[in-house]
Amino acid sequence: MKVQKMKKQFVAGLFAAAMMTPAAALAQDSNETETFIGVSAGYHDLGIGSDEAEGVDIDDASPIFGVVAGVDFPIGGDLFAGVEGNFHFGTDAVDYEYGALARFGIVDSSGTKYYLRGGYQEIELDVEEILNVELDDGDLDGVDTSDGDLIVGAGIDIPLAGGKLRFNVDTVSFDTVRGTTGFVFSF
């Protein structure tokens, strides 16, 4: 099972790198695009709740820590559109998660960006943490402990100290609540 997790983490890392490579190439082609990379931390509540599993103590939330990268393109006036990828490790119910999102928003005169975003997020669950039990190796063989679905949300990027402070609130399949904050550098 550990090898399977390592393989998935490796694939997720490759996915994040693939998201950054086109963004860096586009930034070199035009001075108008804004490419960014940064760190992110937050809290992801999976929305399972104890009422759904009577008699079972469920821990369905997790702090998350990770990286984000993407690129924004001006599309006229103060409007922009972009794409971004993310990869986060969790400490409790979430083992790790990754995804890709499209962004659409507006930039004000201070450089602050307000945006809506949507895409796909894959979540690898830590069943032992969710159920507060210790499982033996092989207990979950053949059980899919991942889930992926539509992610939608809103956010703001505020210029600060040579980068941007960012705040995002998202939901995956309208079942979870995911709040993140971070700091990104543009180039």
Side-chain angles (χ1 to χ4, degrees):
M1 183 152 166
K2 295 282 185 196
V3 172
Q4 184 181 19
K5 280 187 178 182
M6 289 174 56
K7 285 181 185 177
K8 287 183 179 180
Q9 290 171 345
F10 178 74
V11 169
L14 287 177
F15 175 80
M19 287 298 296
M20 289 184 273
T21 302
L26 286 169
Q28 294 171 358
D29 291 342
S30 169
N31 292 331
E32 296 177 359
T33 61
E34 180 184 12
T35 304
F36 58 88
I37 187 166
V39 294
S40 177
Y43 193 73
H44 197 156
D45 184 341
L46 300 174
I48 298 168
S50 295
D51 346 337
E52 295 181 25
E54 206 170 299
V56 178
D57 182 22
I58 302 249
D59 179 9
D60 67 342
S62 181
I64 54 175
F65 307 92
V67 294
V68 297
V71 61
D72 289 333
F73 307 94
I75 56 174
D78 296 332
L79 299 177
F80 73 92
V83 294
E84 80 174 53
N86 71 80
F87 182 84
H88 290 85
F89 286 100
T91 61
D92 291 326
V94 174
D95 195 12
Y96 61 88
E97 62 182 42
Y98 57 92
L101 300 100
R103 299 168 19 126
F104 178 75
I106 189 167
V107 182
D108 71 15
S109 60
S110 71
T112 299
K113 292 183 172 184
Y114 307 88
Y115 51 87
L116 299 175
R117 61 195 211 152
Y120 182 82
Q121 191 78 2
E122 183 74 21
I123 305 167
E124 179 68 30
L125 304 171
D126 189 331
V127 176
E128 289 181 352
E129 290 290 336
I130 292 172
L131 298 176
N132 292 311
V133 296
E134 186 144 340
L135 300 173
D136 294 327
D137 285 343
D139 282 353
L140 294 176
D141 284 354
V143 176
D144 185 7
T145 59
S146 64
D147 192 20
D149 211 330
L150 172 73
I151 182 172
V152 295
I156 182 172
D157 291 354
I158 305 165
L160 177 71
K164 290 190 176 164
L165 184 61
R166 70 180 355 220
F167 300 95
N168 294 297
V169 177
D170 303 301
T171 180
V172 177
S173 71
F174 300 99
D175 292 328
T176 76
V177 176
R178 179 179 182 266
T180 57
T181 187
F183 194 81
V184 296
F185 295 97
S186 300
F187 53 94

